[in-house]
Amino acid sequence: MGQTSRVSAIAWTAAGSLAAWLWLLLCQGFFWRTDVRLPHRTEPDRWPSVCVVVPARDEAAVLPASLPSLLAQDYPGHAEIFLIDDDSSDGTGELARELARRHGGLPLTVDSPGEPPGWTGKLWAMRHGIGLARARDPEYLLLTDADIAHAPDSLRELVAAARTGGFDAVSQMARLRVESLWERLVVPAFVYFFAQLYPFRRIGKKGTRTAAAAGGCVLLRAETADRARIPDAIRHAVIDDVALARAVKGGGGHIWLGLAERVDSVRPYPRLRDLWRMVSRSAYAQLRHNPLLLAGTVAGLALVYLVPPVAVIAGPAGGDTVTAVVGGLAWLVMTGTYVPMLRYYRQPLWLAPLLPFTAFLYLLMTIDSAVQHYRGRGAAWKGRTYARPDAVTDEV
């Protein structure tokens, strides 16, 4: 009787997981589709001026693969680049100047803002760059990270999309590097989970509350940045890209986010600990440092991602075919929703059934993020550690 009761409980739990997957499949903005790319666009009659702001802290390793792509932008209007060397110790600023001398292209200004007075992450450097750009009175700002490589027509296509669609902010999720084994396991899932939290289709619709951006590539109307007080309004945000999008959309701005075709990250994450650090740095901030949200997230990840394979194994072991079938169906739906992202990243489809293992890693990363928070270590970014204020979230 006890064994039957346990098996029955597993069957009901597996049924709950299957119901959750059917809801995610049909009711979560079709998050699993990867066809949200730059919207319809036509070239404007007049190309507006653009200032490109690149916060850079200890980026000498990636600049040779990224900065020349910005310098070489084929943009019909006026554009120039402001690279802000955020107290680097590896010669980032001088290397940027040397690359500009060697490659030519768009004008490049390299400057340094000094030590940040209580600002989080790259936002102080971004503020300094936007301040320099304002002297040029640009119509648009391109906020891009130092590890992002752009195709020659990237800026042109971003501006055309913003003008045609009337968007105040157009952001692209850069295609992250996927070469090592751990990158193959973790990186596509990172974008998949992000899209699940912030379905791209909902972000681009007016009247919806869903707001997000990808900080590596954001084209922002300068007037909108002033109106939303970017970046001052989000100076304590650990997840600055989501905070930026919320500030813009909360002020009535029209935003768009999709997957990139012309924008790639060149930063390597060859080891698991590199990826672990990337995720755990902001995972608990995403949950607003709330223990109840943490508990709910852990339970949700377990129900949605871990229960199906457990049911497939436990069902036959307990002589319960129904449990195995229901768990197998949930696992099948999960696998099917992951396939488009693997195709986008040009990865083998045999990785799709391994998503429960990857989700388990993310569950552990999230718990570790909370542990680090309560140990008082605060948020760490590129060797700079911040105090652990509970206000440091992505809220605006």
Side-chain angles (χ1 to χ4, degrees):
M1 185 71 175
Q3 183 178 3
T4 302
S5 176
R6 287 196 298 274
V7 172
S8 177
I10 295 174
W12 279 110
T13 306
S17 181
L18 177 59
W21 272 112
L22 292 175
W23 183 86
L24 288 169
L25 177 69
L26 301 173
C27 304
Q28 187 60 4
F30 295 100
F31 77 94
W32 43 271
R33 294 182 58 171
T34 55
D35 57 351
V36 182
R37 311 295 173 90
L38 274 180
H40 171 73
R41 53 207 177 274
T42 58
E43 294 195 348
D45 295 331
R46 180 189 64 82
W47 289 93
S49 62
V50 181
C51 285
V52 182
V53 177
V54 187
R57 175 173 168 81
D58 293 333
E59 298 286 18
V62 297
L63 274 186
S66 61
L67 185 57
S69 73
L70 281 175
L71 295 167
Q73 284 301 297
D74 177 20
Y75 185 67
H78 176 76
E80 58 182 302
I81 304 168
F82 294 88
L83 186 139
I84 309 305
D85 181 8
D86 187 5
D87 196 28
S88 298
S89 60
D90 63 352
T92 288
E94 185 51 44
L95 175 59
R97 294 185 183 94
E98 172 58 29
L99 289 169
R101 287 192 291 267
R102 190 186 314 164
H103 293 275
L106 296 183
L108 173 70
T109 298
V110 178
D111 204 355
S112 180
E115 187 69 18
W119 286 53
T120 301
K122 64 185 180 184
L123 290 169
W124 177 243
M126 182 191 296
R127 184 182 192 271
H128 187 71
I130 292 175
L132 294 176
R134 281 199 177 101
R136 307 295 199 270
D137 195 25
E139 190 168 341
Y140 287 94
L141 301 165
L142 175 61
L143 310 178
T144 186
D145 288 343
D147 66 316
I148 302 298
H150 294 255
D153 63 348
S154 172
L155 180 57
R156 185 180 189 134
E157 295 294 316
L158 284 165
V159 170
R163 299 286 279 196
T164 304
F167 295 106
D168 295 285
V170 172
S171 180
Q172 288 187 290
M173 178 75 70
R175 199 189 303 259
L176 305 176
R177 198 189 89 139
V178 179
E179 294 183 13
S180 71
L181 173 62
W182 287 113
E183 286 171 337
R184 292 173 187 271
L185 281 170
V186 175
V187 167
F190 176 83
V191 182
Y192 172 88
F193 293 142
F194 186 93
Q196 193 176 86
L197 285 172
Y198 306 102
F200 296 161
R201 279 176 171 75
R202 292 181 182 173
I203 291 170
K205 290 182 178 179
K206 290 184 176 180
T208 63
R209 298 183 59 187
T210 307
C217 178
V218 180
L219 183 75
L220 179 64
R221 193 185 297 273
E223 180 184 353
T224 300
D226 290 340
R227 187 170 61 247
R229 297 176 49 246
I230 301 296
D232 296 63
I234 60 172
R235 62 187 178 276
H236 295 309
V238 173
I239 311 174
D240 53 83
D241 43 12
V242 174
L244 183 151
R246 287 179 175 172
V248 172
K249 197 166 189 177
H254 191 191
I255 66 177
W256 183 92
L257 171 64
L259 295 172
E261 297 172 316
R262 298 171 173 82
V263 183
D264 298 280
S265 172
V266 298
R267 189 182 306 282
Y269 293 97
R271 300 165 298 184
L272 177 59
R273 69 177 181 179
D274 301 318
L275 292 158
W276 193 290
R277 190 180 304 117
M278 176 189 74
V279 175
S280 64
R281 183 182 77 85
S282 60
Y284 198 39
Q286 179 69 56
L287 302 176
R288 304 175 185 176
H289 302 132
N290 187 317
L292 293 178
L293 286 178
L294 174 66
T297 298
V298 170
L301 285 171
L303 173 67
V304 174
Y305 290 99
L306 305 186
V307 165
V310 169
V312 169
I313 296 171
D320 187 348
T321 304
V322 172
T323 296
V325 170
V326 173
L329 288 173
W331 198 352
L332 183 63
V333 175
M334 179 199 316
T335 299
T337 63
Y338 192 39
V339 165
M341 189 61 69
L342 289 175
R343 284 179 172 162
Y344 169 74
Y345 271 97
R346 307 182 186 98
Q347 295 304 301
L349 299 188
W350 58 261
L351 289 169
L354 300 182
L355 186 57
F357 171 73
T358 304
F360 180 63
L361 290 178
Y362 274 88
L363 186 154
L364 295 178
M365 293 174 194
T366 302
I367 293 174
D368 181 59
S369 179
V371 169
Q372 298 305 319
H373 174 78
Y374 289 114
R375 284 181 176 177
R377 297 184 180 179
W381 177 78
K382 292 183 177 291
R384 189 179 283 159
T385 302
Y386 304 94
R388 198 212 70 177
D390 290 339
V392 176
T393 71
D394 62 343
E395 292 185 283
V396 180

